[in-house]
């Protein structure tokens, strides 16, 4: 199957997104926080702690905000979700992170025009890092 770029579509001014936030509700808040803050080294831009089920932290990923929130009582886990993040130095990141996390797949070239690898955070959320091929 051959992939190709699609011409840019004009946004509806009412639905155009100014900021994208991905919210995760980890069961082990501290462990997952440590992963994003100390392994991936995403900068913290805000955090709060008003008790066990009222705490959170926001990380800057460069183009979106990753928000970790303490799980609410009765919260149900989403099935079938992951995220892909384009980075400038894919192989440098790979060398840095490959021994520090759970690797799903090692760097590979993809037919749609990028090179990528995938890891899991401490609770199994899949993160694909990629760089577009020139």
């Amino acid at each position: 199957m051959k992939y190709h770029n699609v011409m840019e579509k004009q946004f509806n001014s009412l639905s155009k997104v100014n900021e994208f936030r991905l919210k995760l509700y980890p069961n082990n808040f501290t462990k997952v926080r440590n992963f994003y803050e100390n392994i991936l080294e995403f900068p913290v831009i805000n955090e709060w702690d008003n008790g066990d089920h009222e705490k959170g932290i926001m990380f800057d990923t460069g183009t979106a905000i990753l928000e970790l929130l303490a799980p609410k009582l009765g919260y149900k886990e989403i099935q079938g979700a992951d995220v892909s993040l384009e980075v400038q130095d894919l192989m440098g990141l790979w060398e840095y992170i490959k021994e520090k996390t759970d690797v799903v797949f090692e760097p590979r070239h993809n037919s749609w025009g990028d090179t990528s690898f995938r890891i899991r955070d401490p609770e199994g959320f899949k993160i694909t890092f990629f760089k577009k091929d020139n």
Side-chain angles (χ1 to χ4, degrees), residues 18 75 91 94 105:
N18 293 323
Y75 173 75
M91 296 314 293
W94 170 249
F105 63 79

Side-chain angles (χ1 to χ4, degrees), residues 43-93:
V44 175
I45 57 174
N46 197 355
E47 65 181 298
W48 58 97
D49 188 347
N50 299 318
D52 287 343
H53 298 289
E54 293 294 330
K55 64 181 170 181
I57 188 165
M58 298 168 72
F59 296 101
D60 185 353
T61 68
T63 59
I65 304 299
L66 172 63
E67 196 168 348
L68 300 182
L69 299 162
K72 305 282 185 194
L73 296 175
Y75 173 75
K76 300 289 184 199
E77 185 176 304
I78 289 180
Q79 299 295 316
D82 60 52
V83 66
S84 296
L85 305 171
E86 183 179 15
V87 295
Q88 290 185 15
D89 184 359
L90 183 74
M91 296 314 293
L93 178 59

